[in-house]
Amino acid sequence: MTSASATAARDQSLPPLAAKMARMAHHFLSGLSARCLLFLCVLCALCVSLGDAACAEVDSDTEAVAGQDFKLGCISCKMRGEVEASATADWFFKARGETEFAHIYSYDGELSTIINERFEGRVNWTGSRKTTDLQDASIYLLNVTFNDSGVYQCFFTRTLNYDYYEYETTASKYVHLTVVPKATRGTASIVSEIMMYVSIIGLQLWLLVEMIYCYRKIAAAGDEALRASASVFRSPSLIIQDHPLHQPVMPLT
């Protein structure tokens, strides 16, 4: 049985007024096209993405400019976000020509410590704040010099707190930093930034067009439903005849 025949059979089993209202509701819902549903799905996805931020591991930049500040990025996400945890972050540095890493910085969620005198007053924490469950251990290196070129190691020590036991894990990230006298940008970086802005503007225009289209579609369906309902209420005889008490009186013989 097709959907049209099923709808017709259902309408026949209902009282005339209820069948009329059911047809009006069905007509209104059918006026919402697939484009409107797609538009609503996109809006829901945007609301979810804004309301529930997720952790994403992004690599750090590797080229700094002498005399400027530079962000050493380091993100290590938990495999299971619902598990409570605490973590500490330590940074190590190995200059060019050296063979061993030197401990330069430590952060435990509350207290930050610059360990190496070489970086005294030149490191600022810019990672996770107001929590001991660290996932972002990024730092700012202030007033970069050519001697800051080398390999930086970010080391996470994380304790996962389960109901009956604790489990300790570690993670390491490496940043190979090069200090240059002047900022340079490759062609790929410029093209990527242009394409990003074009995509954002295009998406916003598409959302605007779909919003106008859906508004007109819903408004037209709503007006037609109102006209149909007005025609129903203008004919009260339909309601009276359908009432179970309104039965023809048989003459007495």
Side-chain angles (χ1 to χ4, degrees):
M1 180 182 292
T2 62
S3 60
S5 60
T7 303
R10 184 181 66 249
D11 291 347
Q12 291 178 359
S13 63
L14 295 173
L17 178 60
K20 188 77 172 179
M21 299 300 293
R23 286 195 296 271
M24 290 164 45
H26 180 268
H27 181 75
F28 177 77
L29 292 176
S30 62
L32 299 179
S33 63
R35 293 176 62 183
C36 292
L37 294 178
L38 177 61
F39 171 72
L40 294 176
C41 291
V42 172
L43 286 182
C44 291
L46 290 176
C47 292
V48 170
S49 63
L50 291 175
D52 186 14
C55 178
E57 297 187 6
V58 181
D59 293 335
S60 173
D61 292 333
T62 58
E63 186 176 274
V65 180
Q68 298 184 9
D69 301 340
F70 181 78
K71 181 180 179 179
L72 290 167
C74 176
I75 300 177
S76 175
C77 301
K78 292 187 301 185
M79 298 301 295
R80 298 185 60 179
E82 73 278 7
V83 178
E84 294 184 359
S86 60
T88 60
D90 294 275
W91 279 90
F92 301 84
F93 172 63
K94 183 175 69 174
R96 291 181 177 177
E98 298 182 358
T99 58
E100 295 183 356
F101 282 92
H103 195 186
I104 63 173
Y105 184 81
S106 178
Y107 184 77
D108 62 1
E110 297 179 355
L111 181 64
S112 61
T113 305
I114 299 177
I115 299 171
N116 194 300
E117 296 179 356
R118 179 179 189 174
F119 294 90
E120 187 67 35
R122 298 180 53 227
V123 177
N124 283 341
W125 177 260
T126 185
S128 302
R129 299 180 183 276
K130 298 181 180 180
T131 178
T132 57
D133 187 4
L134 305 179
Q135 298 187 78
D136 184 355
S138 303
I139 60 174
Y140 259 111
L141 191 59
L142 309 179
N143 192 22
V144 175
T145 66
F146 290 103
N147 293 330
D148 295 329
S149 297
V151 182
Y152 291 82
Q153 179 190 19
C154 171
F155 187 79
F156 277 91
T157 303
R158 177 174 291 121
T159 302
L160 303 174
N161 302 316
Y162 294 95
D163 291 337
Y164 302 105
Y165 67 97
E166 295 181 349
Y167 183 76
E168 185 172 296
T169 63
T170 59
S172 294
K173 304 286 183 177
Y174 292 90
V175 181
H176 297 263
L177 181 64
T178 301
V179 180
V180 297
K182 185 178 180 181
T184 59
R185 292 188 62 186
T187 304
S189 174
I190 298 175
V191 172
S192 298
E193 185 173 354
I194 294 175
M195 293 303 298
M196 178 188 67
Y197 287 114
V198 170
S199 301
I200 293 174
I201 295 174
L203 179 61
Q204 291 178 342
L205 291 176
W206 178 80
L207 289 175
L208 178 61
V209 171
E210 289 299 318
M211 185 181 298
I212 296 174
Y213 172 82
C214 292
Y215 173 78
R216 291 182 175 179
K217 195 77 173 179
I218 295 173
D223 292 341
E224 188 168 349
L226 288 175
R227 287 195 296 269
S229 62
S231 65
V232 171
F233 290 110
R234 278 199 301 267
S235 41
S237 59
L238 180 63
I239 305 176
I240 297 175
Q241 293 174 3
D242 185 57
H243 198 278
L245 295 179
H246 185 74
Q247 301 294 334
V249 180
M250 300 300 294
L252 297 175
T253 57

